[in-house]
Amino acid sequence: MKTLQTLQTLKTLTVIKIGGNVIDSEVALTRFLGDLSILDRSESQWILVHGGGKIATDLAKRLGVEAQMVDGRRITDAAMLEIVTMVYGGLVNKRVVAGLQAKGVNALGLTGADGNIITAHKRKHPTTDYGFVGDIDTVNTAQIRALLDAGFSPILSPLTHDTFGTMLNTNADTIAAALACALAMSGERNVRLVYCFEKKGVLRNVDNEHSTIPTLSAIEIEYLRVSGAVAKGMLPKLDNALDALRSGVETVHICHSDEILSVLQGEQCGTKITL
Amino acid sequence: MKTLQTLQTLKTLTVIKIGGNVIDSEVALTRFLGDLSILDRSESQWILVHGGGKIATDLAKRLGVEAQMVDGRRITDAAMLEIVTMVYGGLVNKRVVAGLQAKGVNALGLTGADGNIITAHKRKHPTTDYGFVGDIDTVNTAQIRALLDAGFSPILSPLTHDTFGTMLNTNADTIAAALACALAMSGERNVRLVYCFEKKGVLRNVDNEHSTIPTLSAIEIEYLRVSGAVAKGMLPKLDNALDALRSGVETVHICHSDEILSVLQGEQCGTKITL
């Protein structure tokens, strides 16, 4: 159990992304929200970005809406956009917000449309029509800062908007990286980015939980990419991590959701990404 | 078409409730959001509370979840709570927020859980178990004021929370009245409450759109209640209106969603409620 005292030294703005598998597990999510409430009582400010989990896919199935995936990205037609707006922006976001409020955290749920925080455009791709999938154009750091200064802890769902009235489905890893980049570039000091998920970090052997790679540099990531020695779904996360570091984000970690406080205290756990 | 200039004289905080039937009509909703964007450019501040519309009932039907009603209130079991959280907090709220952002309004969507803005408890009733229906305990006016001062236009969905992690389904009319009451009692000057829906006001004859009653006092409302000469669904709205006036809310109007700007300019339309 981490104590408040051990976290007092933190004076950073931390962007934390929590993966869909953690959202899907009541035990893991409850523990994670408890840890966030300890972090909240430190001097550190943070923003949480949550993934979607399986609920949207399950709901789509129940409604007879077919969920298509290309390269790990969901194809979002109009029916699927309604589903993800409901599930990510409604059900999941409010589960996290209400859960945090119950622990004394002044959480406030957002999509990119709320406060115009993240604008995007429909993905342009030469061969695939991704539908209502949004690639990020702008992150409105002034609005995020206004919410933080007013004492709110922002909880972002993986949704953006096109500024013409349409919501867009945007990958949560990418949102977290874009937020961290934009905040670092806008002059925020000590921006950290932490990807929390159900594994202990980037694993040498995806079947061995004890094979966490403690640090990964850009060159090593390039080697992993070429050799194919890393889980395919991990590569976009690693690319996001490198983008963040190149934009001035101080540190990027990939870790288990149970280890968020340890990582933020500088303990050796998870995978630290370096340039 | 109302102009910006004609609204410059307003210096009030207006709580506006938009009914579910307006939410269900794309034409009516688009027009209403356009009017709100004009209001937004005046000096007046406002908060919008939206109803749910038929989408939740339709979704429940598609999912095989039975929607039960008692005295015009939805019985909210766990499955229905998930549906209203998705539909009200996700789909409808983000439709309104993205629609307003497209018109240049810095809308920010909320439930009662976000920023702990409205807390409630599960309704206690001697004979009926309403399930996850929330009766309001507190309205956190300081948090609402913080959002308004930071330049956001709050858009509230008809959801509250119990502060123990559970969302609750709460009538939008009641939320609007509770907000207006709490803001007036916290010392906000000139709080107005406007109920906008698909009819021109309180009608003498529900089948005759030209039978709008221009003003209704508490005594006249009592007469209507006893004589049964008013649509049953209107009575809780009228009771909410009287509560608001008794708490110091300056004016309460019930009007057509197309007439929001006219009402706020003091034109004779809709029904004005008085003590």
Side-chain angles (χ1 to χ4, degrees):
Chain A
M1 183 75 181
K2 311 298 163 194
T3 64
L4 183 55
Q5 202 176 6
T6 59
L7 285 161
Q8 292 289 357
T9 50
L10 298 171
K11 275 196 182 182
T12 56
L13 178 52
T14 309
V15 178
I16 304 165
K17 189 259 172 169
I18 184 80
N21 286 340
V22 181
I23 296 289
D24 289 334
S25 159
E26 196 179 327
V27 172
L29 182 62
T30 301
R31 177 163 179 174
F32 177 78
L33 298 184
D35 283 352
L36 270 192
S37 72
I38 294 169
L39 178 62
D40 198 66
R41 291 193 292 277
S42 73
E43 287 178 31
S44 177
Q45 288 184 310
W46 53 267
I47 300 165
L48 179 67
V49 183
H50 63 78
K54 292 177 190 145
I55 307 172
T57 313
D58 291 348
L59 182 63
K61 202 176 286 175
R62 286 176 69 191
L63 291 171
V65 175
E66 206 169 318
Q68 284 184 290
M69 306 288 281
V70 172
D71 294 338
R73 305 286 166 123
R74 193 188 297 276
I75 299 287
T76 308
D77 62 9
M80 190 58 81
L81 180 65
E82 289 206 344
I83 289 170
V84 297
T85 303
M86 289 195 292
V87 173
Y88 301 166
L91 194 61
V92 174
N93 191 264
K94 300 319 160 195
R95 186 173 294 172
V96 172
V97 167
L100 284 169
Q101 286 284 352
K103 293 174 192 298
V105 178
N106 195 15
L108 188 141
L110 298 165
T111 67
D114 298 286
N116 195 29
I117 276 172
I118 306 178
T119 71
H121 61 272
K122 277 177 82 168
R123 177 168 299 164
K124 297 176 186 96
H125 191 277
T127 55
T128 307
D129 179 4
Y130 283 89
F132 295 98
V133 166
D135 285 328
I136 295 173
D137 291 320
T138 57
V139 176
N140 198 332
T141 54
Q143 301 282 289
I144 295 165
R145 176 41 68 199
L147 288 170
L148 288 166
D149 287 347
F152 298 106
S153 297
I155 314 297
L156 264 98
S157 58
L159 295 164
T160 57
H161 78 135
D162 71 354
T163 74
F164 301 104
T166 301
M167 299 298 294
L168 294 169
N169 186 10
T170 298
N171 180 273
D173 284 352
T174 308
I175 287 182
L179 268 173
C181 290
L183 288 162
M185 291 172 75
S186 75
E188 294 280 347
R189 283 183 308 171
N190 303 342
V191 178
R192 295 174 173 204
L193 173 59
V194 186
Y195 287 112
C196 297
F197 69 149
E198 75 285 4
K199 300 207 178 285
K200 284 187 176 292
V202 183
L203 306 178
R204 279 190 202 288
N205 173 359
V206 77
D207 298 320
N208 179 0
E209 274 288 340
H210 301 292
S211 68
T212 308
I213 305 171
T215 63
L216 262 183
S217 69
I219 289 171
E220 289 166 324
I221 288 168
E222 215 37 54
Y223 171 77
L224 289 177
R225 189 194 315 276
V226 173
S227 69
V230 67
K232 213 173 177 183
M234 186 56 77
L235 283 173
K237 211 186 289 278
L238 294 173
D239 287 334
N240 280 326
L242 292 175
D243 285 347
L245 291 170
R246 289 182 186 122
S247 298
V249 173
E250 195 175 85
T251 61
V252 183
H253 285 87
I254 299 175
C255 69
H256 196 285
S257 61
D258 287 351
E259 295 186 329
I260 176 69
L261 295 184
S262 301
V263 164
L264 292 179
Q265 286 175 103
E267 288 180 24
Q268 177 53 59
C269 54
T271 301
K272 182 177 183 178
I273 312 299
T274 62
L275 284 180
Chain B
M1 182 76 181
K2 311 299 162 194
T3 64
L4 182 56
Q5 202 176 7
T6 59
L7 286 163
Q8 291 290 358
T9 49
L10 298 173
K11 276 195 182 183
T12 55
L13 177 53
T14 309
V15 178
I16 303 165
K17 189 261 173 169
I18 185 77
N21 287 339
V22 182
I23 295 287
D24 288 334
S25 158
E26 196 179 328
V27 171
L29 182 61
T30 301
R31 176 162 180 174
F32 177 77
L33 298 184
D35 284 352
L36 270 193
S37 73
I38 293 169
L39 179 62
D40 198 65
R41 291 193 291 278
S42 73
E43 288 178 31
S44 177
Q45 288 183 310
W46 52 268
I47 300 164
L48 179 67
V49 183
H50 62 78
K54 292 177 191 146
I55 306 172
T57 312
D58 291 348
L59 182 63
K61 203 176 285 175
R62 286 176 69 192
L63 292 170
V65 175
E66 206 168 321
Q68 283 185 290
M69 306 290 280
V70 171
D71 294 337
R73 304 288 166 120
R74 193 188 296 277
I75 298 288
T76 308
D77 62 9
M80 189 58 80
L81 180 65
E82 289 207 344
I83 288 171
V84 297
T85 304
M86 290 196 291
V87 172
Y88 302 165
L91 195 61
V92 173
N93 191 263
K94 300 319 160 193
R95 186 173 292 171
V96 172
V97 167
L100 284 169
Q101 285 285 352
K103 294 175 191 297
V105 178
N106 196 15
L108 188 142
L110 298 165
T111 66
D114 299 287
N116 195 29
I117 277 172
I118 306 176
T119 70
H121 62 271
K122 278 177 81 168
R123 178 169 300 162
K124 297 177 185 93
H125 191 276
T127 55
T128 307
D129 179 4
Y130 283 88
F132 295 97
V133 165
D135 285 329
I136 295 173
D137 290 320
T138 57
V139 176
N140 197 332
T141 55
Q143 302 282 289
I144 295 166
R145 177 39 70 200
L147 289 170
L148 288 166
D149 287 347
F152 299 106
S153 297
I155 314 297
L156 264 101
S157 57
L159 295 164
T160 57
H161 78 136
D162 70 354
T163 74
F164 301 103
T166 301
M167 300 297 295
L168 294 169
N169 187 11
T170 299
N171 181 273
D173 285 351
T174 308
I175 287 182
L179 267 173
C181 289
L183 288 161
M185 290 171 76
S186 76
E188 294 280 346
R189 281 184 308 171
N190 302 342
V191 178
R192 293 175 173 204
L193 173 60
V194 186
Y195 287 112
C196 297
F197 70 147
E198 75 285 3
K199 300 208 178 285
K200 284 186 177 292
V202 183
L203 306 178
R204 277 188 205 287
N205 173 357
V206 76
D207 299 319
N208 180 1
E209 275 289 341
H210 302 291
S211 68
T212 309
I213 305 170
T215 61
L216 261 184
S217 68
I219 290 170
E220 289 165 325
I221 289 169
E222 216 35 56
Y223 171 77
L224 290 177
R225 188 194 316 276
V226 173
S227 68
V230 67
K232 212 172 179 185
M234 184 57 75
L235 283 174
K237 211 186 290 277
L238 294 172
D239 286 334
N240 281 325
L242 292 175
D243 285 347
L245 290 169
R246 289 181 186 124
S247 298
V249 173
E250 195 176 86
T251 61
V252 183
H253 284 87
I254 299 175
C255 69
H256 196 285
S257 61
D258 287 352
E259 296 185 329
I260 176 70
L261 295 184
S262 302
V263 164
L264 292 179
Q265 286 175 105
E267 289 179 24
Q268 177 53 58
C269 54
T271 301
K272 182 176 183 178
I273 312 298
T274 61
L275 284 179

